Amino acid sequence: MTGVAMRLTVNGSLAEASVEPRDTLADLLRERLGLTGTKVGCEHGVCGACTVLLDGSSVRSCLVLALQADGRVVDTVEGLAGDEQLHPIQRAFNVAHAVQCGFCTPGMLMVVAELLAEEAAPDERRIRERVGGNLCRCTGYENIVRAVQLAVGDTPTRGGDAGRA
């Protein structure tokens, strides 16, 4: 079977690819475009590791067909950093030790990028609400929440319930 040609903008650059109708956006990003920062975990849309922004809104790229992104704008974790500099969110994750195994980190960063594009200074409840949709089995979310607070210039809270996400 021959593929279907498509064009999209990925991280600010035009990309062209040939995909099969059954290919997911995650397949396109990882296998055709070499953007392996997008992780594939559960492949059922539950874990959030494959989260990218499609026209500015977070989507689980394992659930979106590649052809649904034809003519659209996709932002991945590779697009956060610019000119060899980490994005403020990435720096904050580093400073706050919000990364352990790192598998959830790309999807988590993209969800946080979306949140901060919507709200300049979300409160702790909103941060937990947003990042809680992405599974992290290592951190207990505390340092992730602190990282987001640090990224927006808020004073991170200490303590709290590690189970709240």
Side-chain angles (χ1 to χ4, degrees):
M1 175 183 261
T2 61
V4 177
M6 64 175 290
R7 297 171 62 149
L8 67 161
T9 301
V10 180
N11 299 327
S13 298
L14 182 64
E16 296 181 351
S18 178
V19 298
E20 297 298 323
R22 69 179 175 275
D23 288 342
T24 66
L25 181 55
D27 296 333
L28 169 66
L29 294 170
R30 292 180 56 79
E31 297 169 17
R32 307 276 183 333
L33 301 179
L35 298 171
T36 57
T38 300
K39 304 302 181 206
V40 178
C42 68
E43 296 188 75
H44 295 286
V46 176
C47 73
C50 68
T51 302
V52 298
L53 301 182
L54 181 61
D55 294 333
S57 296
S58 62
V59 298
R60 309 298 173 123
S61 64
C62 72
L63 297 179
V64 175
L65 292 173
L67 287 171
Q68 290 176 279
D70 191 21
R72 298 175 74 183
V73 175
V74 176
D75 293 298
T76 71
V77 70
E78 289 91 346
L80 283 181
D83 299 326
E84 308 280 330
Q85 296 291 322
L86 291 178
H87 187 279
I89 299 166
Q90 292 170 308
R91 283 195 306 272
F93 266 60
N94 185 36
V95 168
H97 305 288
V99 178
Q100 286 189 23
C101 83
F103 194 80
C104 73
T105 305
M108 199 70 75
L109 289 168
M110 298 313 294
V111 167
V112 171
E114 177 189 37
L115 172 62
L116 297 183
E118 295 171 358
E119 299 179 41
D123 63 17
E124 183 177 347
R125 182 191 60 77
R126 287 287 295 138
I127 295 167
R128 287 184 180 282
E129 181 180 90
R130 191 61 66 93
V131 301
N134 285 43
L135 298 181
C136 177
R137 298 186 72 146
C138 299
T139 67
Y141 297 89
E142 288 301 313
N143 289 348
I144 293 169
V145 171
R146 285 188 191 110
V148 178
Q149 291 171 323
L150 181 63
V152 299
D154 196 5
T155 303
T157 59
R158 295 284 175 210
D161 178 9
R164 291 184 306 159

